[in-house]
Amino acid sequence: MVSVLGPIASGGEPLPLYSFRVPAGFPSPAADHMEQQISLDELFDIRAPHMYLVRIDGDSMQGAGIFDGDLVVVDRSIEARHGHIVIAAVNAEPVCKRLQKIGQQVALLSENRRYAPRYILEGDELLIWGVVTFSVRSHDPCA
């Protein structure tokens, strides 16, 4: 299940980008290492109105690093191919799954063994709403 949050507005505030990787151990002074300013629009290659955000509901894509409550950035301008993670509607029900195309057979795969593949059968309506390009997760325990 997914919740479409709407289109992304372009022109955000640039943020500092530092030239070093931060170890997950002892802190390092950062002020001397600021390399440039970067905007999240540039980082996520946002080109509104082709891009929109979706909040993920459920654990079926956790093997791909997409967890319950995560935001994903979706690009409608990319043609969905085999192996892409997509936002799709199967018989008007929105889902986030990995697209599998083998010959004429199309399936939507979960990245969690608890969920079976969803094969697209004759009579099913499949609409691809876009390709997932990034996921964003909050690490704030109070959020």
Side-chain angles (χ1 to χ4, degrees), residues 70-135:
D70 284 358
L71 288 175
V72 294
V73 178
V74 182
D75 189 334
R76 295 184 308 178
S77 70
I78 298 173
E79 184 176 338
R81 295 187 319 265
H82 174 81
H84 277 150
I85 296 174
V86 298
I87 302 298
V90 179
N91 301 325
E93 182 179 333
V95 295
C96 178
K97 301 291 178 199
R98 188 171 303 277
L99 181 64
Q100 180 183 53
K101 290 183 176 181
I102 300 175
Q104 296 299 315
Q105 179 64 59
V106 177
L108 297 173
L109 307 178
S110 296
E111 294 283 340
N112 182 332
R113 286 189 231 166
R114 295 183 358 197
Y115 301 96
R118 173 57 163 95
Y119 292 95
I120 306 305
L121 305 173
E122 185 177 334
D124 283 337
E125 180 184 36
L126 173 65
L127 298 173
I128 304 294
W129 291 354
V131 174
V132 173
T133 56
F134 294 95
S135 63

Side-chain angles (χ1 to χ4, degrees), residues 61-68 70 72 85 98 111 135-137:
M61 294 303 290
Q62 67 186 14
I66 300 173
F67 296 89
D68 184 47
D70 284 358
V72 294
I85 296 174
R98 188 171 303 277
E111 294 283 340
S135 63
V136 181
R137 178 176 312 117

Side-chain angles (χ1 to χ4, degrees), residues 6-14 39-53 73:
I8 299 172
S10 61
E13 181 71 27
S39 77
L40 293 179
D41 296 354
E42 291 175 18
L43 181 64
F44 293 140
D45 194 26
I46 295 171
R47 299 175 314 278
H50 305 293
M51 310 292 284
Y52 64 96
L53 294 175
V73 178

Side-chain angles (χ1 to χ4, degrees), residues 11-68:
E13 181 71 27
L15 301 172
L17 174 67
Y18 294 95
S19 64
F20 64 93
R21 294 178 183 248
V22 177
F26 298 103
S28 173
D32 295 336
H33 298 280
M34 190 164 76
E35 184 176 304
Q36 66 184 31
Q37 296 282 321
I38 188 168
S39 77
L40 293 179
D41 296 354
E42 291 175 18
L43 181 64
F44 293 140
D45 194 26
I46 295 171
R47 299 175 314 278
H50 305 293
M51 310 292 284
Y52 64 96
L53 294 175
V54 171
R55 185 168 306 279
I56 300 300
D57 181 27
D59 63 354
S60 69
M61 294 303 290
Q62 67 186 14
I66 300 173
F67 296 89
D68 184 47

